[in-house]
Amino acid sequence: MKKVLALVLAMSMALSLFACGSSSEGKPSDAGNADPAQSADAQPNESGNSGDKKGVIGYNYFAAGDYALDTLANNTKRVIEACGYEAMGVCDNGSLDQLVTDVENMISAGVDGLVLWMPNDSLYLKVAQLCENAGVPFCLSDKVPTDKSITEQLESFKTYVGGVTPDNHSYGVQMGQFALDQGYKSCFILASGVGDASGTPRIDGFTEVFEAGGGKILGTQHTDDSNQAVTQAEDMYLAHTDADFIMATGASTFGTAGLEALKKYNDTRMKIVTADFDESILASMKESDTVSFLIGDFLVCGSYASVLMCNYLNGTPITDPDGSAPYIDVVPAFSIPVEQQDLFAKYVAGDCIYSAEESQAMMGLTLDQFVNDVVLKFDSLESRLRAKYEQGIISAEEMQAAGLTVE
């Protein structure tokens, strides 16, 4: 009966996935990046059962067609499957309400675990209670609560497996320090919604460093609407044409909005300092120096959160020494040299950050091994490219063309 119910609900979710994907344009498929609306099947398989798989792990992606979020979904899916589980992906269509509904549907469909991306503090305890009531383990991928008290409450849930997030505060610190090093004196900020789990700590870190160094923030605009972000970018630009740069908390929405405003007014003086990797922003960096600083982890937390869930379901949970769920917030960020962009697009964004063999090797690790031997070792793009070269994925000629020496 459970299998029949799962298949019926999964078919319904597959229709919503198709609708979500078909309305999106400009996806990074040209770079080889998998379209999660097509590759992250919402049903276990064509026969309606999981075959020889260990179980089914569900995951959500907030919107399709976003370069970074599509890649997050792809990395999540690839690690789940590499570790022997079936992946069930659903698109939230950019709606917080639908995100909750999608979690409910995946639970009803009979998933064994959930890897979740939730952008707002209002969601965590609500979704956690759904999982607790159903006895379905869940972990947090990339986004975690900005309110420490919520994180503490999550630790009381038996089904909470842990969370993995970039060190977003350090993103802001590095952005602020870069601006000071360039001699920038003033800026305005284009940011995600108030309380966003990535944007808020980035703004905090940036503000602490930039203002302490004598920098002046002329104004801040918040939104979670990509269309509104474009309008706000233009309004802020017209109000502060004397600013040295735009600080954008995320490249795909706010960095691109700032870039559009500068292009519209043919402003080649004002710069953009932003975070997270976006296809159009990366392309612009080949053409000009308008985007003077870009930093990110390329949403590798989707891979790491999947590792946490797969280990938990496999009976080898990665835990703190006291047995509690881990909270990993030390995922480092890196930049992408222009000469390495093509390799990045083809072999990281267009493929998967970790190979199946590397993902499988993460099963059975202790927390210390996972953090020190896996997470902290991914501290530069070059380290990943060299790993892929050693695996025979990237040729010596390609490495040398990117300015990387090989033996």
Side-chain angles (χ1 to χ4, degrees):
M1 186 66 185
K2 180 179 178 182
K3 294 293 184 184
V4 173
L5 177 61
L7 180 59
V8 171
L9 286 166
M11 290 174 65
S12 174
M13 285 191 287
L15 292 175
S16 69
L17 272 168
F18 175 78
C20 179
S22 63
S23 63
S24 303
E25 297 180 357
K27 295 178 185 177
S29 55
D30 290 343
N33 193 32
D35 176 359
Q38 296 176 9
S39 63
D41 298 332
Q43 62 270 22
N45 58 32
E46 292 180 0
S47 64
N49 59 65
S50 58
D52 59 355
K53 295 292 184 180
K54 300 177 183 178
V56 180
I57 297 176
Y59 66 95
N60 71 307
Y61 51 104
F62 196 58
D66 179 282
Y67 186 68
L69 295 183
D70 282 352
T71 306
L72 170 69
N74 183 50
N75 284 317
T76 302
K77 175 179 185 289
R78 293 281 290 273
V79 171
I80 289 172
E81 292 178 339
C83 293
Y85 293 86
E86 201 78 30
M88 177 188 289
V90 295
C91 174
D92 306 318
N93 285 308
S95 167
L96 298 182
D97 290 336
Q98 185 174 325
L99 190 158
V100 176
T101 300
D102 286 339
V103 171
E104 292 174 324
N105 287 341
M106 286 190 286
I107 290 174
S108 296
V111 295
D112 298 286
L114 289 166
V115 178
L116 300 175
W117 188 93
M118 294 186 282
N120 193 283
D121 278 3
S122 65
L123 296 171
Y124 292 102
L125 296 179
K126 181 188 299 184
V127 170
Q129 193 60 59
L130 291 173
C131 295
E132 190 81 351
N133 292 344
V136 175
F138 70 98
C139 64
L140 304 180
S141 167
D142 185 63
K143 298 279 192 179
V144 296
T146 59
D147 185 337
K148 300 294 185 185
S149 67
I150 295 177
T151 303
E152 292 173 358
Q153 291 180 72
L154 286 176
E155 293 171 354
S156 69
F157 287 84
K158 295 179 180 179
T159 50
Y160 176 57
V161 174
V164 188
T165 183
D167 185 357
N168 283 298
H169 186 271
S170 77
Y171 276 41
V173 169
Q174 293 180 64
M175 293 163 78
Q177 190 58 56
F178 172 84
L180 292 175
D181 291 345
Q182 303 308 302
Y184 299 160
K185 302 297 183 183
S186 63
C187 73
F188 58 85
I189 298 175
L190 301 177
S192 44
V194 176
D196 180 84
S198 297
T200 299
R202 289 176 186 178
I203 293 174
D204 290 344
F206 173 79
T207 301
E208 291 168 11
V209 171
F210 190 58
E211 290 189 335
K216 184 176 182 181
I217 298 172
L218 303 174
T220 302
Q221 284 284 2
H222 294 273
T223 185
D224 287 317
D225 186 303
S226 58
N227 293 321
Q228 188 177 33
V230 174
T231 301
Q232 288 182 349
E234 184 173 351
D235 290 344
M236 289 290 279
Y237 171 76
L238 293 174
H240 306 291
T241 55
D242 58 339
D244 292 321
F245 70 104
I246 301 169
M247 186 283 201
T249 59
S252 62
T253 297
F254 308 104
T256 55
L259 193 62
E260 187 172 327
L262 296 183
K263 285 183 176 180
K264 180 176 180 179
Y265 293 97
N266 197 30
D267 188 330
T268 58
R269 182 196 62 84
M270 191 180 296
K271 306 304 180 185
I272 296 174
V273 172
T274 188
D276 297 333
F277 302 130
D278 173 83
E279 191 173 29
S280 60
I281 291 292
L282 288 167
S284 77
M285 295 178 74
K286 288 185 175 181
E287 302 168 359
S288 73
D289 63 352
T290 297
V291 179
S292 59
F293 186 74
L294 176 66
I295 190 172
D297 66 281
F298 208 69
L299 298 168
V300 67
C301 295
S303 302
Y304 297 151
S306 297
V307 169
L308 288 185
M309 181 53 64
C310 290
N311 270 282
Y312 180 87
L313 294 178
N314 199 51
T316 56
I318 296 176
T319 66
D320 283 329
D322 63 1
S324 61
Y327 179 87
I328 302 170
D329 62 353
V330 293
V331 177
F334 57 90
S335 59
I336 302 179
V338 172
E339 60 271 18
Q340 295 176 21
Q341 280 193 25
D342 290 342
L343 291 185
F344 173 79
K346 184 175 182 180
Y347 294 110
V348 180
D351 181 25
C352 193
I353 292 176
Y354 291 105
S355 68
E357 292 74 18
E358 287 175 312
S359 298
Q360 292 159 9
M362 297 179 201
M363 299 294 284
L365 297 181
T366 65
L367 179 60
D368 186 63
Q369 290 171 328
F370 183 52
V371 171
N372 292 310
D373 298 340
V374 178
V375 176
L376 295 179
K377 278 197 173 181
F378 186 8
D379 58 355
S380 70
L381 175 60
E382 182 177 340
S383 69
R384 275 288 82 206
L385 295 178
R386 289 197 179 280
K388 288 177 178 286
Y389 166 70
E390 292 170 2
Q391 293 163 16
I393 298 172
I394 302 176
S395 69
E397 291 76 17
E398 289 175 302
M399 292 287 282
Q400 290 166 349
L404 299 173
T405 58
V406 294
E407 296 181 0

